[in-house]
């Protein structure tokens, strides 16, 4: 190991600084996080973040904080130089977001950085230019109090790192998420995020309720309720920090001697298919922690569908010595001394907040989720509306362009395989008028509907086999094929509807606008994050609500990839539409008429054997296989 060619030697300072930078600066979003945290620690009340090229070309963070003198500014560019720690004991009671003294030098090591700052009450500001970790220029300039850090050409001197960056859109999305989380953790600070010349979002610094409306939209805020729970409710009830609102906060760690959770919960009807709106902070430090998510999910047990997630923005306040924030290189994770206490506070606090809004968790009752619960609305008492019809495959009189008409199958037979011969069967079911019978649909000769199994599978007897149909997967497949073949159609809205998007949804909308148009959505921007929807797709005979466009964007954001072609985006939109809005859900009962209509659709289009995700839709068990199994 220590032979002539393997001598141990000390690394060059430039190389070692770039290695250290790799631990702190993973991507442009990491730079934004570190710089904004520095601004918060400096006491800023207004923070402006500007990016270009997904943060790789330019990141600029400006604040009105305390600023720095020339000497402190130069010292801040040295590794392990900080004003936030003075001794080893301080590591046990960390009040600030940053404390290691690594951020600025690490960023400067892999970019072209300009630091401009002036201390409050100072006579002149200072501008320091750094390239690749080396100070290139120091000059005095006139500046307003505060600090501005400009980072250009990130990773210009580390091409290997640059090669592994995601697409510009993906990096921009990561930055939006970072600033969103910080703005919600520090709602009494005003934030502005700009991408190029466009304002992605802004908050006014007037508390959490206002920040939620600015970021998620007023409609989402209306479906949220405040939550607050403390370790000792009797002792600490009403003892809020001055200037603090329920579910909000000044954001400054207050040195509490007890555990406390506060914030806002989304009601069950606001559930999401991903955890992007479960935003937790610990002593106003945005964190990712599985324990917090599990505790929240427990409170919603039985109120939302399986594999979906509640919406919440919560801040957990704990005594500083009860949490370790120094367990992760980027401080994204924390460790609690008493995890059980934290879990109990979140779960029980959320249950109480939901109960006040008219919802009761099914924890410990042994009951299962009821799909009708997702239409509950807040009020003194929860009311369940009658569920709408699951779907409608019927053809309006005179309309021969139905999704499953013979004409469609003949046109597409060359590409999807030969359809069944339905002419003889149609002669038996056609009416003498211009439309279909309103009576119960008849099945093809030799077919018989036996019933449903667990409200998920339809059982059908044919002349030679038993069919087990996954109704949800089949409906997805039929909807997807109709979208691909441009047969599903669209419907103009008599009154166009405004839809407000979240910051990340608005960013994705720009990328997918053409694909959405191709699948039947007619829309246009009428504001930075507001769109006007005037046309919607028709899926399985039903027009989608305008808000379905947001659902599609949420599905697309799950697996956003780099350098995605327009064709791939279009395919993703089609799959998302089919998956989200096929209308047929597992465990939701169908009427006999609806089940027969779905079975007829499969008979007409037997090539719908797999859903868009590759899962089978139908299992056919031949009678001879049953005979062989039973020895007949």
């Amino acid at each position: 190991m220590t032979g002539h060619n393997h001598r141990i030697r000390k690394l060059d300072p430039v190389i070692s600084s770039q290695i250290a930078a790799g631990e702190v600066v993973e991507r442009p979003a990491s730079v934004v996080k570190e710089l904004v945290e520095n601004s918060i620690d400096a006491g800023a009340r207004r923070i402006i973040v500007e990016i270009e090229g997904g943060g790789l070309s330019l990141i600029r963070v400006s604040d009105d904080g305390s600023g720095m003198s020339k000497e402190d500014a130069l010292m801040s560019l040295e590794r392990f130089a900080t004003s936030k720690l003075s001794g080893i004991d301080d590591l046990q009671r960390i009040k600030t977001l940053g404390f290691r003294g690594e951020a600025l030098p690490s960023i400067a090591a892999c970019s072209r950085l300009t630091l401009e700052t002036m201390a409050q009450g100072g006579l002149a500001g200072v501008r320091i230019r750094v390239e690749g970790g080396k100070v290139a220029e120091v000059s005095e300039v006139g500046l307003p109090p505060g600090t501005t850090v400009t980072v250009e050409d990130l990773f210009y001197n580390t091409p290997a790192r640059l090669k592994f960056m995601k697409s510009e859109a993906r990096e921009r999305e990561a930055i939006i998420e970072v600033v969103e989380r910080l703005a919600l953790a520090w709602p009494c600070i005003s934030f502005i995020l700009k991408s190029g010349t466009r304002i992605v979002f802004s908050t006014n610094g007037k508390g959490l309720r206002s920040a939620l409306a600015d970021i998620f939209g007023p409609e989402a805020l209306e479906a949220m309720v405040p939550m607050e729970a403390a370790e000792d409710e009797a002792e600490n009830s009403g003892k809020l920090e001055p200037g603090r609102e329920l579910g909000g906060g000044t954001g400054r760690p207050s040195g509490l001697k007890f555990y406390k959770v506060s914030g806002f919960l989304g009601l069950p009807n606001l559930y999401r298919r991903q955890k992007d709106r479960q935003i937790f902070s610990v002593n106003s430090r945005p964190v990712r922690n599985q324990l917090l998510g599990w505790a929240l999910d427990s409170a919603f047990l039985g109120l939302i569908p399986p594999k979906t997630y509640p919406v919440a923005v919560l801040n957990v306040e704990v005594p500083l010595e009860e949490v370790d924030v120094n367990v992760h290189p980027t401080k994204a994770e924390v460790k609690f001394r008493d995890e059980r206490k934290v879990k109990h506070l979140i779960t029980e606090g959320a249950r109480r907040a939901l109960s006040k809004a008219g919802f009761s968790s099914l924890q410990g009752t042994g009951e299962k989720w009821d799909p009708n619960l997702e239409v509950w609305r807040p009020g003194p008492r929860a009311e369940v509306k009658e569920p709408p019809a699951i779907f409608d495959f019927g053809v309006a009189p005179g309309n021969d362009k139905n999704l499953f008409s013979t004409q469609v199958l003949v046109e597409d037979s060359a590409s999807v395989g030969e359809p069944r011969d339905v002419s003889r069967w149609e002669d038996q079911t056609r009416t003498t008028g211009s439309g279909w019978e309103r009576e119960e649909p008849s099945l093809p000769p030799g077919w018989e509907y036996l019933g449903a199994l667990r409200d998920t599978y339809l059982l059908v007897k044919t002349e030679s086999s038993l069919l087990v149909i996954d109704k949800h997967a089949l409906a997805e497949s039929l909807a997807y094929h109709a979208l691909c073949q441009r047969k599903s159609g669209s419907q103009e809205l008599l009154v166009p509807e405004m839809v407000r998007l979240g910051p990340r949804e608005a960013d994705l909308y720009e990328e997918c606008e053409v694909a959405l148009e191709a699948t039947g959505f007619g829309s246009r921007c009428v504001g930075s994050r507001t769109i006007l929807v005037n046309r919607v797709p028709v899926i399985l005979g039903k027009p989608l609500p305008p808000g379905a466009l947001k659902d599609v964007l949420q599905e697309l954001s799950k697996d956003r990839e780099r350098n995605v072609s327009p064709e791939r985006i279009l395919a993703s939109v089609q799959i998302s539409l089919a998956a989200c809005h096929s209308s047929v859900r597992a465990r939701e009962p169908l009427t006999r008429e609806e089940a027969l209509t779905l079975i007829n659709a499969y008979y007409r289009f037997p090539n719908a054997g797999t859903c868009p995700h590759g899962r089978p839709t139908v299992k056919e068990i031949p009678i001879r296989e049953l005979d062989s199994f039973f020895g007949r």
Side-chain angles (χ1 to χ4, degrees):
M1 290 294 293
T2 56
H4 180 70
N5 295 326
H6 300 283
R7 300 274 313 266
I8 296 175
R9 56 186 178 274
K10 190 173 182 178
L11 289 174
D12 180 272
V14 175
I15 297 176
S16 61
S17 65
Q18 289 186 359
I19 293 173
E23 297 178 357
V24 178
V25 185
E26 299 174 349
R27 58 194 306 187
S30 307
V31 174
V32 172
K33 173 182 176 293
E34 297 292 344
L35 295 180
V36 173
E37 286 182 349
N38 281 348
S39 295
I40 294 171
D41 287 340
R45 306 304 299 176
R46 186 167 192 244
I47 299 173
I48 302 173
V49 181
E50 302 168 79
I51 61 171
E52 292 179 8
L56 291 169
S57 301
L58 172 76
I59 295 171
R60 179 178 292 118
V61 176
S62 307
D63 67 59
D64 60 353
S66 59
M68 292 180 283
S69 65
K70 178 180 178 181
E71 294 74 17
D72 281 350
L74 287 168
M75 183 60 69
S76 70
L77 294 167
E78 300 289 333
R79 289 192 67 198
F80 307 122
T82 179
S83 61
K84 301 164 187 177
L85 295 177
S86 58
I88 191 68
D89 292 339
D90 291 343
L91 283 174
Q92 308 302 317
R93 295 179 54 83
I94 295 174
K95 297 181 179 180
T96 54
L97 296 179
F99 53 88
R100 293 175 181 154
E102 292 181 293
L104 272 180
S106 295
I107 296 167
C110 54
S111 68
R112 295 184 171 93
L113 181 144
T114 302
L115 171 61
E116 298 172 299
T117 184
M118 189 177 89
Q120 295 283 350
L123 298 178
V126 62
R127 175 184 293 136
I128 305 174
R129 217 166 35 83
V130 185
E131 293 201 10
K134 296 182 178 179
V135 176
E137 178 189 345
V138 180
S139 57
E140 287 192 357
V141 291
L143 295 170
T147 301
T148 298
V149 180
T150 304
V151 179
E152 298 174 283
D153 302 325
L154 186 63
F155 301 131
Y156 82 97
N157 55 349
T158 53
R161 296 289 302 281
L162 191 60
K163 183 174 65 176
F164 286 95
M165 290 297 102
K166 304 290 185 182
S167 67
E168 178 181 320
R170 189 67 180 271
E171 297 299 341
R172 183 171 60 246
E173 182 182 19
I175 291 172
I176 293 172
E177 180 180 2
V178 164
V179 182
E180 272 184 2
R181 288 176 175 269
L182 285 163
L184 292 170
W186 297 82
C188 290
I189 297 177
S190 170
F191 283 83
I192 298 176
L193 173 60
K194 297 181 180 179
S195 178
T197 58
R198 180 173 66 92
I199 295 179
V200 179
F201 76 85
S202 63
T203 64
N204 57 20
K206 294 182 179 180
L208 184 53
R209 190 183 296 273
S210 179
L212 286 168
D214 290 335
I215 295 175
F216 293 163
E219 301 86 357
L221 179 61
E222 289 176 2
M224 301 184 79
V225 293
M227 167 193 158
E228 188 157 23
E231 184 180 356
D232 187 340
E233 290 286 357
E235 178 182 349
N236 303 306
S237 175
K239 292 185 179 180
L240 295 181
E241 187 179 343
R244 182 171 184 146
E245 62 166 15
L246 181 65
T250 63
R252 309 292 167 186
S254 56
L256 289 177
K257 297 301 181 183
F258 52 88
Y259 286 60
K260 183 177 181 180
V261 179
S262 61
F264 279 80
L265 290 179
L267 293 176
N269 58 295
L270 202 63
Y271 71 81
R272 309 267 291 186
R273 299 185 186 278
Q274 52 188 338
K275 296 183 178 181
D276 61 324
R277 287 196 177 174
Q278 286 190 5
I279 299 177
F280 298 104
S281 54
V282 176
N283 292 339
S284 298
R285 180 189 303 277
V287 298
R288 299 185 185 277
N289 186 287
Q290 284 188 328
L291 169 75
L292 304 180
W294 291 338
L296 181 65
D297 292 343
S298 296
F300 281 80
L301 186 64
L303 294 178
I304 60 177
K307 298 182 180 179
T308 61
Y309 305 97
V311 172
V313 178
L314 299 176
N315 182 41
V316 182
E317 295 178 81
V318 302
L320 298 177
E321 63 274 8
E322 294 285 309
V323 60
D324 187 355
V325 301
N326 195 26
V327 296
H328 191 271
T330 62
K331 306 183 290 289
E333 298 177 7
V334 297
K335 189 172 182 179
F336 296 102
R337 180 172 293 178
D338 192 341
E339 292 185 341
R340 292 178 59 186
K341 187 181 293 184
V342 174
K343 182 179 184 300
H344 176 77
L345 266 182
I346 292 176
T347 302
E348 293 306 314
R351 283 180 185 157
R352 283 197 297 271
L354 290 170
S355 179
K356 289 179 181 178
F359 298 85
S360 296
S361 170
L362 300 182
Q363 175 72 24
T365 65
E367 299 182 50
K368 294 184 179 179
W369 172 75
D370 179 351
N372 285 333
L373 291 178
E374 65 176 303
V375 299
W376 280 8
R377 295 293 183 266
R381 296 181 62 184
E383 297 181 359
V384 181
K385 297 181 180 179
E386 285 296 319
I390 301 298
F391 61 88
D392 180 11
F393 288 124
V395 185
N399 180 5
D400 59 356
K401 294 184 179 180
N402 183 262
L403 173 59
F404 305 113
S405 68
T406 310
Q407 176 187 0
V408 172
L409 293 172
V410 172
E411 288 177 355
D412 299 319
S413 61
S415 59
V416 299
E418 292 298 323
R420 304 185 205 271
D421 179 10
V422 298
S423 57
R424 178 170 59 89
W425 170 49
E426 283 191 330
D427 288 340
Q428 300 173 6
T429 58
R430 199 183 308 274
T431 65
T432 57
S434 60
W436 292 88
E437 292 180 354
R438 301 302 297 175
E439 299 175 2
E440 180 180 287
S442 61
L443 290 178
W447 286 45
E448 181 182 350
Y449 174 49
L450 303 179
L453 179 63
R454 297 182 64 196
D455 283 328
T456 300
Y457 305 104
L458 306 181
L459 305 180
V460 181
K461 178 181 75 67
T462 72
E463 294 176 330
S464 60
S465 64
L466 173 69
L467 301 180
V468 183
I469 300 174
D470 183 331
K471 62 184 184 183
H472 174 62
L474 178 59
E476 271 191 18
S477 180
L478 294 169
Y480 176 65
H481 283 292
L483 287 164
C484 289
Q485 298 159 14
R486 306 293 196 275
K487 300 296 181 181
S488 64
S490 59
Q491 178 173 303
E492 296 286 340
L493 299 179
L494 291 176
V495 180
E497 186 168 320
M498 304 279 255
V499 176
R500 183 175 173 83
L501 304 177
R504 280 176 280 172
E505 293 164 352
D507 186 58
L508 189 56
Y509 174 78
E510 288 188 0
E511 185 179 346
C512 301
E513 185 174 2
V514 175
L516 289 166
E517 179 79 21
T519 52
F521 280 108
S523 60
R524 61 185 177 88
C525 285
V526 293
S528 61
R529 287 166 46 203
T530 303
I531 58 173
L532 186 69
V533 180
N534 52 37
R535 181 164 43 87
V536 294
V538 175
I539 305 293
L540 301 185
K542 276 194 168 183
L544 301 186
L549 189 146
K550 291 184 67 172
D551 297 336
V552 173
L553 291 174
Q554 290 168 17
E555 288 292 315
L556 285 173
S557 67
K558 288 183 182 178
D559 54 355
R560 204 173 184 184
E561 298 179 12
R562 61 182 301 181
N563 301 323
V564 178
S565 66
E567 294 78 12
R568 181 68 179 274
I569 293 175
L570 178 58
S572 295
V573 172
Q574 289 168 336
I575 290 173
S576 295
L577 279 171
C580 294
H581 300 283
S582 62
S583 299
V584 181
R585 296 283 182 255
R587 306 281 176 98
E588 287 186 4
L590 301 182
T591 65
R592 179 176 176 82
E593 181 180 0
E594 291 167 341
L596 293 178
T597 307
L598 187 60
I599 295 167
N600 284 338
Y602 171 68
Y603 183 83
R604 290 176 176 275
F605 195 40
N607 299 85
T610 58
C611 76
H613 303 92
R615 296 189 298 268
T617 63
V618 179
K619 170 68 174 176
E620 184 170 10
I621 307 174
I623 297 296
R624 63 176 180 273
E625 184 177 317
L626 293 174
D627 289 341
S628 175
F629 179 81
F630 289 106
R632 293 186 179 276

